[in-house]
Amino acid sequence: MSRPFPLIDFHSHILPAADHGSSGLTESLKQLEIVRNFGVDTIVATPHFYPNSIALEDFLGLVASSAERLTEHRESSPRICLGAEILYCNGLHRMEGLDALCIRGTNVLLLELPMDEWSDELFYTVERLTKSFTVVLAHIDRYILCEEDGIHSLLSAGAFAQINGYALHSFSKRRKLKPILESDRVVALGSDLHGADRKTYEQFLTAEKKLGDTFETIMRRSAALLENATAL
Ligand SMILES: [Fe+2]
């Protein structure tokens, strides 16, 4: 199905053995085949970065070698941009070299928030991050039922939001997300693909039916964020 706008998956774990999303090259190539068959134009590879578990330079080395291996063997489509999904930790805004985790060629950081209760320090840290980066909060659907006020507060403070497509199957989540979807803060949708299951990927794209015209609006916002992104 051809669309008058680019189809962008902003959140995925498709780099071979860079995290638990793909066990190796064979699985990554299967993932990309699925993505290509669904007509996705651009996918952002966002391997998990856990700041308390791995040094930044080790992570960057791992990602670079994984990306290189994928590049050697993959087909030309889809376009792959390279970023990271950075798990929040206190003081993250002071981490040296954080800009190396942006989607390459942009100042966009994909930030994963914790599932436990959000502290005042978290709000302070995210606000500080928004002064230097375009902060996109990963899968806000995951927190919308328990931290609804917190999400609204972070978006008001300057952060943007990414939603996982499959979450839109949930009526209660859709209802809570509605005011945010009607604002200009949702800039990305993602599959958060781990593994190579076609059905999981299909769920990501049912977001198009659930969102109607808003789907295109969000895709165009993603395209704007990735305008200067470098591809693998
Ligand atoms: Fe993820």
Side-chain angles (χ1 to χ4, degrees):
M1 165 178 165
S2 96
R3 298 169 178 83
F5 56 88
L7 188 53
I8 299 171
D9 180 353
F10 209 86
H11 181 163
S12 70
H13 300 269
I14 56 165
L15 292 187
D19 63 12
H20 55 273
S22 161
S23 56
L25 185 61
T26 305
E27 188 163 31
S28 292
L29 293 175
K30 262 190 217 159
Q31 289 176 308
L32 284 175
E33 189 184 345
I34 293 167
V35 172
R36 189 166 46 251
N37 287 342
F38 277 103
V40 169
D41 299 289
T42 298
I43 186 165
V44 186
T46 53
H48 287 285
F49 173 64
Y50 300 122
N52 291 325
S53 305
I54 185 169
L56 178 60
E57 66 181 45
D58 292 342
F59 175 77
L60 293 172
L62 174 70
V63 167
S65 60
S66 171
E68 195 181 316
R69 195 159 144 68
L70 187 60
T71 306
E72 277 169 22
H73 293 90
R74 75 183 191 91
E75 295 185 25
S76 57
S77 73
R79 172 189 180 217
I80 303 174
C81 298
L82 184 56
E85 179 179 10
I86 305 151
L87 182 62
Y88 169 85
C89 67
N90 290 338
L92 185 65
H93 61 291
R94 293 192 301 269
M95 179 184 280
E96 241 172 80
L98 196 54
D99 54 332
L101 295 173
C102 288
I103 298 172
R104 308 299 187 268
T106 77
N107 76 335
V108 178
L109 277 185
L110 184 67
L111 181 65
E112 178 178 29
L113 295 167
M115 289 303 289
D116 46 0
E117 201 177 325
W118 295 354
S119 63
D120 290 346
E121 188 167 359
L122 180 146
F123 291 97
Y124 173 76
T125 300
V126 176
E127 190 174 349
R128 290 300 301 268
L129 285 169
T130 65
K131 305 298 178 211
S132 306
F133 301 102
T134 299
V135 176
V136 177
L137 306 176
H139 41 55
I140 60 161
D141 44 278
R142 196 175 282 184
Y143 321 96
I144 196 65
L145 299 181
C146 55
E147 285 281 6
E148 185 180 9
D149 291 345
I151 288 284
H152 282 275
S153 168
L154 292 174
L155 298 179
S156 300
F160 295 93
Q162 177 260 313
I163 292 174
N164 279 354
Y166 65 77
L168 295 165
H169 284 283
S170 157
F171 175 75
S172 56
K173 287 189 174 180
R174 273 208 318 279
R175 191 166 57 86
K176 294 276 188 189
L177 289 168
K178 191 167 182 275
I180 302 174
L181 281 161
E182 286 169 353
S183 75
D184 62 356
R185 307 315 285 176
V186 181
V187 294
L189 298 168
S191 65
D192 202 357
L193 184 65
H194 291 71
D197 180 40
R198 190 181 182 281
K199 283 223 156 88
T200 307
Y201 211 76
E202 200 164 18
Q203 288 185 332
F204 156 56
L205 286 169
T206 56
E208 190 164 12
K209 290 192 198 96
K210 300 284 182 195
L211 293 178
D213 292 346
T214 304
F215 185 85
E216 176 174 347
T217 304
I218 295 171
M219 288 296 144
R220 291 195 184 280
R221 288 179 188 142
S222 294
L225 286 184
L226 298 177
E227 193 181 358
N228 297 315
T230 49
L232 289 186

